[in-house]
Amino acid sequence: MPLTLNEYREKLIKKILASDSQEAVKRFIDFSIKLFEQNDIHVDIIDLFVEKTISELELFSPMEKDSGQWRNIQLARILLNRKKNR
């Protein structure tokens, strides 16, 4: 059974947090967007996915994450904002 957008977002955020490099964070985000585009997901739904993911990443606190996770969160927010503003 395919994942819902919420489940896919949760999975993406877990991968972002567990990433061991900035390249991995970028790769996960690029892959997610490309996957939606290849499956002809409407651009409005992709934009909503991106916005909601940014919102969820903004809820994290640097006091609750280690420095690597926090860097990944910050980078993911930057990359997703670029996607949103394309």
Side-chain angles (χ1 to χ4, degrees):
M1 181 159 86
L3 296 175
T4 66
L5 286 178
N6 286 335
E7 291 168 333
Y8 194 80
R9 184 176 17 271
E10 289 174 14
K11 187 175 176 180
L12 175 61
I13 290 172
K14 286 179 184 177
K15 287 183 177 186
I16 289 168
L17 292 173
S19 293
D20 59 357
S21 70
Q22 292 182 342
E23 292 80 21
V25 172
K26 184 177 184 328
R27 194 170 46 247
F28 287 132
I29 291 170
D30 289 344
F31 178 80
S32 297
I33 301 301
K34 193 173 286 190
L35 182 66
F36 290 145
E37 292 170 347
Q38 289 174 346
N39 285 295
D40 296 322
I41 303 297
H42 194 276
V43 69
D44 291 340
I45 294 176
I46 296 172
D47 288 344
L48 182 63
F49 176 84
V50 168
E51 288 176 22
K52 187 144 174 125
T53 304
I54 292 168
S55 294
E56 288 188 25
L57 289 169
E58 289 174 343
L59 296 175
F60 288 112
S61 166
M63 302 305 284
E64 297 171 355
K65 301 296 175 195
D66 65 40
S67 61
Q69 290 174 320
W70 188 245
R71 276 193 307 272
N72 292 349
I73 291 167
Q74 296 296 77
L75 176 62
R77 288 173 53 195
I78 290 167
L79 295 172
L80 289 166
N81 272 304
R82 286 182 187 162
K83 299 280 185 198
K84 183 175 88 169
N85 293 326
R86 63 179 146 83

